[in-house]
Amino acid sequence: MELSESVQKGFQMLADPGSFDSNAFTLLLRAAFQSLLDAQADEAVLDHPDLKHIDPVVLKYCHAAAATYILEAGKHRADKSTLSAYLEDCKFDRERTELFCTEYQNNKNSLETLLGSIGRSLPHITDVSWRLEYQIKTNQLHKMYRPAYLVTLNVQNTDSQSYPEISFSCSMEQLQDLVGKLKDASKSLERATQL
Amino acid sequence: MLLELSEEHKEHLAFLPQVDSAVVAEFGRIAVEFLRRGANPKIYEGAARKLNVSSDTVQHGVEGLTYLLTESSKLMISELDFQDSVFVLGFSEELNKLLLQLYLDNRKEIRTILSGLAPSLPSYHNLEWRLDVQLASRSLRQQIKPAVTIKLHLNQNGDHDTKVLQTDPATLLHLVQQLEQALEEMKTNHCRRVVRNIK
């Protein structure tokens, strides 16, 4: 894990009981996790009365250091020993190290889900809707009598948050072809998971 | 159901009895080609010179014939109705038979061409798929994230379009289930009844 000097300095400040008493430490730690993981968190996360006595510049600095470290640890799937080693290097005592590791463990799943969802990928199919119609005539052609399907795929773009739709028509034979191919794919998937 | 032919249309078709059947058959061929690929003025000029008439006359004759064929094909009129509709033009027995044959021979193809004129959405052409497993990304290492990548081939008005999409295993199963239900629907009593009764 590549961590900058400012992260280390921030943690060294957090380690010092003179700058952060036990209560303040816990609050700041929780605030760091909250601002990363809680979608509704706002800037007031550091506005707790028990943190008022600490210099706001120091608060922000340490909050940023903690958040940066948490993200790096999550990205690399750091285990407890990696965490403990780094924290002890920053002069954390046993109690604070334990506290950090416990908080990290509690939030690990949410953190990994969040990190996993960041990134570019192809437009993602989320749902399908279909319509069966019986075509009887057009203004160019009377007496048609042909069934047809209209299929709409709901698609989600990861980066633009837009929801375009892909619609297409197909005959019964074409839909059978489509379903057949999708079934092949899912059978392949099943076989692959059993290996 | 009889075809209603306008006066102008009858005028254009009036040219046909003035030439022999081989020429009418040729005009028929030109008419169908017109529907397949669009008009070709040079052909009209060539024919006009050979027959010693104006190219306008030839053009009207071909267009009249084309319209006769497309209207008959569109409405899918029966042989009897076609014969009765053409009867009012006062053509010879031989010419009437020729026109009927022209209609029956080309009806299917003309209907296919006409069906392409309907408003349409992209239609399904083919589907290719691939299984992928995401192992890591810039923001998270050591992942095992299965995905199915799909290339959907669509056609619209002759243009070929492809869309590359992705989905997860759960959604794939959902898609298969939903679309199988769609196929099952055609076999239900309701649909069978509709298909049987609307003709």
Side-chain angles (χ1 to χ4, degrees):
Chain A
M1 289 200 286
E2 306 248 324
L3 294 157
S4 67
E5 232 187 270
S6 58
V7 172
Q8 197 172 31
K9 276 215 199 96
F11 270 140
Q12 283 165 348
M13 280 193 251
L14 273 174
D16 173 20
S19 319
F20 285 88
D21 60 51
S22 260
N23 195 23
F25 173 83
T26 313
L27 284 169
L28 186 97
L29 193 57
R30 297 238 168 95
F33 279 102
Q34 196 183 352
S35 43
L36 288 173
L37 299 171
D38 184 357
Q40 267 95 37
D42 52 23
E43 295 104 49
V45 76
L46 291 175
D47 260 350
H48 199 276
D50 287 348
L51 293 171
K52 285 263 188 314
H53 61 282
I54 306 174
D55 177 7
V57 172
V58 170
L59 264 186
K60 280 198 181 168
Y61 193 83
C62 296
H63 176 258
T68 309
Y69 183 72
I70 292 167
L71 286 176
E72 275 301 299
K75 176 162 98 180
H76 292 279
R77 300 200 184 241
D79 57 11
K80 189 166 175 191
S81 56
T82 315
L83 294 176
S84 310
Y86 185 77
L87 296 174
E88 273 158 21
D89 269 351
C90 297
K91 313 277 191 285
F92 266 43
D93 61 34
R94 265 297 217 83
E95 193 196 328
R96 292 191 182 196
T97 309
E98 273 305 308
L99 219 88
F100 188 98
C101 291
T102 313
E103 271 305 303
Y104 184 83
Q105 198 55 40
N106 289 344
N107 289 294
K108 197 159 113 84
N109 283 337
S110 315
L111 183 64
E112 283 170 8
T113 308
L114 176 67
L115 290 171
S117 70
I118 298 171
R120 297 286 183 87
S121 73
L122 293 168
H124 194 97
I125 303 175
T126 51
D127 201 357
V128 65
S129 38
W130 55 268
R131 185 178 86 191
L132 171 59
E133 59 190 23
Y134 194 58
Q135 295 172 343
I136 51 181
K137 69 159 72 160
T138 70
N139 64 335
Q140 305 289 356
L141 198 61
H142 294 197
K143 301 194 187 172
M144 279 174 72
Y145 312 129
R146 185 175 68 181
Y149 284 95
L150 177 62
V151 177
T152 299
L153 295 171
N154 299 91
V155 170
Q156 193 174 354
N157 271 328
T158 50
D159 43 4
S160 57
Q161 285 302 307
S162 65
Y163 298 90
E165 274 180 359
I166 297 178
S167 292
F168 58 90
S169 65
C170 54
S171 66
M172 189 152 170
E173 293 74 32
Q174 289 169 330
L175 187 59
Q176 280 169 338
D177 181 65
L178 171 60
V179 173
K181 295 198 164 111
L182 289 177
K183 277 170 95 160
D184 283 342
S186 70
K187 280 201 198 107
S188 244
L189 194 56
E190 236 184 88
R191 254 179 276 136
T193 56
Q194 280 157 10
L195 289 170
Chain B
M1 175 187 236
L2 288 181
L3 273 183
E4 299 249 331
L5 302 168
S6 69
E7 283 311 309
E8 192 188 1
H9 193 189
K10 289 187 201 161
E11 257 178 58
H12 291 173
L13 288 172
F15 176 55
L16 294 179
Q18 294 170 22
V19 296
D20 61 26
S21 354
V23 177
V24 176
E26 181 64 14
F27 277 13
R29 202 195 52 79
I30 297 175
V32 178
E33 202 50 37
F34 176 25
L35 286 172
R36 277 188 210 128
R37 252 170 280 209
N40 191 347
K42 290 193 211 143
I43 297 191
Y44 298 149
E45 276 161 34
R49 250 178 288 129
K50 259 194 271 169
L51 297 166
N52 221 356
V53 292
S54 73
S55 81
D56 270 355
T57 313
V58 174
Q59 185 174 347
H60 288 160
V62 171
E63 283 173 4
L65 197 53
T66 309
Y67 187 69
L68 179 67
L69 290 173
T70 50
E71 277 305 290
S72 313
S73 303
K74 160 175 149 182
L75 299 167
M76 195 70 173
I77 59 177
S78 63
E79 270 188 51
L80 200 54
D81 284 344
F82 184 85
Q83 284 171 319
D84 288 343
S85 310
V86 169
F87 188 71
V88 302
L89 295 168
F91 292 167
S92 69
E93 178 82 33
E94 199 196 336
L95 186 52
N96 287 348
K97 261 175 99 172
L98 187 63
L99 290 174
L100 178 64
Q101 205 50 50
L102 210 53
Y103 167 54
L104 293 173
D105 287 343
N106 291 296
R107 174 165 66 179
K108 192 160 180 217
E109 188 183 351
I110 294 176
R111 280 179 70 81
T112 308
I113 296 171
L114 289 176
S115 70
L117 292 172
S120 74
L121 286 152
S123 70
Y124 171 79
H125 180 75
N126 194 14
L127 181 118
E128 299 176 79
W129 57 266
R130 184 181 81 189
L131 282 181
D132 291 328
V133 178
Q134 180 168 313
L135 301 174
S137 69
R138 181 179 167 181
S139 44
L140 188 62
R141 315 283 195 257
Q142 296 171 41
Q143 297 179 42
I144 298 185
K145 202 163 152 184
V148 181
T149 304
I150 288 174
K151 192 169 186 181
L152 183 62
H153 295 257
L154 299 173
N155 276 335
Q156 183 164 29
N157 298 329
D159 294 324
H160 200 100
D161 189 24
T162 52
K163 304 237 186 245
V164 184
L165 306 163
Q166 209 171 44
T167 191
D168 55 84
T171 309
L172 178 64
L173 291 175
H174 171 71
L175 295 181
V176 170
Q177 184 196 42
Q178 286 296 309
L179 294 176
E180 277 184 323
Q181 272 182 15
L183 284 172
E184 280 304 303
E185 208 42 43
M186 262 317 282
K187 301 185 194 153
T188 60
N189 283 333
H190 177 75
C191 288
R192 285 190 211 252
R193 239 179 285 136
V194 169
V195 171
R196 249 200 321 265
N197 292 313
I198 297 187
K199 282 220 188 297

